[in-house]
């Protein structure tokens, strides 16, 4: 009997390991293709060793028109929209977390519903509105819409993280004469650093990879972000510059990786004072 149980556990463990290897391969193979193809002078769709190593693919794309200007546009759009999203989400989540009201639950459910709306379903009225208010083909208009589209889920996340900060700390600050805004800025947000980091990374990554919104709202080629300009590598009649596309993909991914590395230490933290106050 014991031998049978041990055999079953071994079989399940092997099956789980095999499943994990399949999932890992699904992630590793595309990354391997990007790295290898960027150095391959004759890159194709297959994952293979390069036919000689070369940096010509990087030399071909490292120009202002192809890479630097689109990346700068992406940083302006996504960086500005991320700052606006995080600030607005913190201000909206604070009363939802700290004050009890009969409107809290309906409001949160409305926010949750808003996160499920497909972006394509609202782009037509948004486009018409932007034309009327002269925000079409403007960086600030695209920033506003980026922030608005990410704000529902950012509020939901921020509120859940904010619930983990002990209210007793704020009450002590209120006793000393601090306002609600001061307690939010000096106590709540510093203690929920991991939560702010998660919202920041999530918002930035979702905006960074968004093709449809800037493609619809921006018309001038000089304002297009990298998520749209990457489409230029797909030529007519199915011809694709795979090596240059792979090289551009590596450079395009760098800001997201750097952002994660810069704040990764905060992602592993927690609300250190929570247990001390309750104890």
């Amino acid at each position: 009997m014991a031998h049978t149980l041990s055999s079953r556990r071994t079989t399940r463990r092997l099956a789980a390991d095999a499943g994990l290897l399949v999932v890992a391969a699904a992630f590793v193979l595309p990354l391997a293709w990007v790295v290898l193809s960027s150095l391959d002078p004759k890159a194709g769709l297959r994952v293979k060793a390069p036919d000689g190593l070369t940096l010509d693919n990087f030399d071909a794309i490292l120009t202002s028109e192809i890479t630097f200007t689109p990346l700068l546009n992406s940083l302006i759009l996504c960086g500005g929209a991320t700052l606006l999203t995080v600030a607005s989400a913190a201000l909206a989540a604070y009363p939802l977390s700290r004050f009890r009201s009969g409107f809290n639950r309906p409001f949160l459910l409305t926010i949750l519903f808003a996160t499920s709306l497909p972006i394509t379903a609202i782009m037509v009225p948004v486009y018409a509105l932007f034309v009327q208010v002269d925000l079409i083909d403007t960086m600030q208009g695209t920033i506003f819409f980026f922030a608005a589209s990410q704000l529902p889920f950012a509020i939901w996340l921020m509120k859940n993280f904010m619930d983990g900060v002990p209210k007793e700390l704020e009450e002590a600050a209120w006793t000393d004469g601090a306002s609600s805004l001061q307690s939010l800025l000096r106590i709540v947000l510093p203690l929920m650093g991991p939560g702010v980091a998660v919202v920041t990374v999530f918002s930035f990554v979702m905006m960074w990879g968004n093709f449809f919104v800037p493609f619809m709202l921006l018309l001038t080629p000089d304002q297009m972000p990298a998520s749209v300009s990457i489409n230029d590598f797909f030529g007519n009649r199915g011809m694709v510059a795979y090596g240059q596309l792979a090289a551009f993909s590596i450079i395009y991914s760098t800001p997201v990786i750097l952002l994660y590395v810069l704040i990764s230490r905060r992602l592993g933290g927690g609300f250190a004072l929570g247990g001390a106050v309750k104890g």
Side-chain angles (χ1 to χ4, degrees):
M1 183 67 178
H3 177 73
T4 302
L5 290 175
S6 177
S7 177
R8 290 179 179 177
R9 291 174 181 173
T10 302
T11 302
R12 292 175 181 174
R13 189 182 303 111
L14 291 175
D17 292 341
L20 291 175
L21 287 175
V22 172
V23 173
F27 283 95
V28 170
L29 287 178
L31 294 177
W33 179 87
V34 169
V35 174
L36 295 175
S37 297
S38 67
L39 302 174
D40 192 346
K42 299 179 180 179
L45 284 176
R46 292 190 305 157
V47 179
K48 63 182 181 65
D51 297 332
L53 299 179
T54 180
L55 295 177
D56 291 344
N57 294 322
F58 288 95
D59 291 337
I61 66 165
L62 289 179
T63 65
S64 176
E65 180 182 357
I66 297 176
T67 299
F68 298 129
T69 298
L71 279 179
L72 178 60
N73 293 335
S74 292
L75 289 173
I76 294 174
L77 288 173
C78 301
T82 298
L83 291 175
L84 185 59
T85 299
V86 173
S88 301
L91 293 174
Y94 183 74
L96 292 172
S97 174
R98 289 300 185 257
F99 304 106
R100 295 293 174 260
S101 171
F103 294 100
N104 281 13
R105 180 175 174 80
F107 184 75
L108 287 172
L109 291 177
T110 302
I111 289 176
L112 187 62
F113 171 75
T115 62
S116 64
L117 291 175
I119 198 72
T120 53
I122 60 176
M123 280 308 300
V124 173
V126 166
Y127 185 90
L129 174 64
F130 273 39
V131 170
Q132 294 294 323
V133 298
D134 293 328
L135 283 178
I136 198 70
D137 196 28
T138 62
M139 299 289 279
Q140 62 269 26
T142 308
I143 287 174
F144 289 149
F145 184 75
F146 261 148
S149 63
Q150 294 300 321
L151 193 56
F153 196 69
I155 293 175
W156 185 271
L157 277 178
M158 193 77 76
K159 190 263 182 188
N160 289 333
F161 283 114
M162 202 169 287
D163 288 342
V165 178
K167 191 175 181 180
E168 290 84 353
L169 296 173
E170 288 185 89
E171 292 174 346
W174 295 337
T175 303
D176 294 334
S179 64
S180 296
L181 181 59
Q182 288 174 328
S183 65
L184 171 63
L185 296 178
R186 298 179 181 179
I187 297 176
V188 178
L189 291 180
L191 288 177
M192 55 175 292
V196 176
V198 168
V199 175
T200 301
V201 172
F202 176 83
S203 300
F204 187 86
V205 170
M206 294 300 292
M207 298 172 192
W208 189 260
N210 194 304
F211 169 86
F212 190 63
V213 170
F215 180 76
M216 291 291 296
L217 299 182
L218 295 174
L219 308 177
T220 306
D222 290 341
Q223 293 185 340
M224 290 297 179
S227 59
V228 177
S229 66
I230 196 174
N231 187 58
D232 295 338
F233 291 101
F234 296 87
N236 297 327
R237 301 180 181 178
M239 299 296 294
V240 182
Y242 290 110
Q244 296 179 20
L245 175 62
F248 185 86
S249 298
I250 290 178
I251 297 176
Y252 176 53
S253 304
T254 302
V256 176
I257 298 173
L258 290 177
L259 174 65
Y260 177 77
V261 171
L262 288 174
I263 66 175
S264 60
R265 287 178 292 181
R266 304 212 71 178
L267 290 175
F271 304 122
L273 296 181
V277 172
K278 294 182 179 180

